[in-house]
Amino acid sequence: MNYQQVKKRKYYKLRGEWKQLKQEHNDLELVFSKISIEFVKGIRSFCSQNDLGDPFAEINETTQNVGGATFTSSSKAVFRQIVLSTHPDKVKNKEKAQEVYDAATKARKSGNLQELIDAGKNVSIKPDLEKITTEDLNLLEDNINELKDKITKIRNSYAWVWFHASPIKRNEIFFEFIQSHTK
């Protein structure tokens, strides 16, 4: 087996793993958003009943603007192809073209190669697997690890653990949460 075949095989393996993790993450996020609402309602009720105040009053959520990994020249070429193929002067369905362009731009900014490739597929742009580099494969591995971290973060969150706990354990989780979020 030559080097190109090894790279292709690794790419398909990583792509399969990424697709599976992406689906798992999307499913978890749907459930997690509902669980989080119930958790907040439950903790506010618990705090009100126990005269503990509002633990969310002092939480200052900040968003982090973490730059994604730098794209390789082959990744940039895919982005350029998407930009050219979604240009308003070249397409009939401007709404779909704008959606694809927005998805590609978001993927580029976050350094997510697989989402960029998926955006390209929506306008019939396929990556040239002959030009895939080791850097591209490393970027895909980083994207996979980011998804794994997001899944772990959801599963280790107070809300997730609370939801899956017994009713008695839920109050303990509320106390832990309140302690960790008050000064």
Side-chain angles (χ1 to χ4, degrees), residues 123-174:
V123 287
S124 301
I125 296 172
K126 295 180 182 176
D128 184 353
L129 296 182
E130 298 296 323
K131 293 181 181 177
I132 199 161
T133 66
T134 304
E135 289 175 301
D136 291 328
L137 296 174
N138 290 339
L139 182 56
L140 286 174
E141 286 177 335
D142 290 345
N143 296 155
I144 288 168
N145 289 332
E146 288 171 13
L147 271 176
K148 287 178 180 177
D149 289 345
K150 288 177 181 179
I151 289 169
T152 299
K153 189 175 181 178
I154 288 172
R155 289 194 170 140
N156 291 332
S157 70
Y158 279 104
W160 190 267
V161 172
W162 168 83
F163 182 77
H164 291 88
S166 67
I168 294 170
K169 183 74 175 156
R170 285 183 170 192
N171 285 343
E172 291 176 27
I173 294 168
F174 282 160

Side-chain angles (χ1 to χ4, degrees), residues 66-132:
V66 180
T70 305
F71 275 2
T72 62
S73 58
S74 58
S75 309
K76 290 176 185 175
V78 170
F79 182 73
R80 280 192 295 275
Q81 286 178 307
I82 293 170
V83 169
L84 290 173
S85 67
T86 58
H87 192 278
D89 292 342
K90 297 187 180 213
V91 294
K92 293 179 183 175
N93 187 344
K94 293 181 186 343
E95 189 174 307
K96 180 182 178 192
Q98 185 64 46
E99 288 174 16
V100 171
Y101 176 79
D102 291 344
T105 302
K106 180 181 173 190
R108 180 174 171 243
K109 286 181 181 178
S110 68
N112 194 313
L113 178 58
Q114 195 55 61
E115 288 183 0
L116 178 67
I117 291 170
D118 288 346
K121 286 184 177 185
N122 287 329
V123 287
S124 301
I125 296 172
K126 295 180 182 176
D128 184 353
L129 296 182
E130 298 296 323
K131 293 181 181 177
I132 199 161

Side-chain angles (χ1 to χ4, degrees), residues 39-59 157-159 162 169-183:
F39 179 75
V40 169
K41 286 179 183 177
I43 203 151
R44 282 200 164 126
S45 174
F46 177 81
C47 288
S48 175
Q49 292 169 359
N50 293 292
D51 201 25
L52 296 172
D54 186 357
F56 300 108
E58 296 190 24
I59 294 177
S157 70
Y158 279 104
W162 168 83
K169 183 74 175 156
R170 285 183 170 192
N171 285 343
E172 291 176 27
I173 294 168
F174 282 160
F175 276 122
E176 286 178 34
F177 177 84
I178 292 165
Q179 273 186 318
S180 69
H181 288 83
T182 55
K183 294 180 181 181

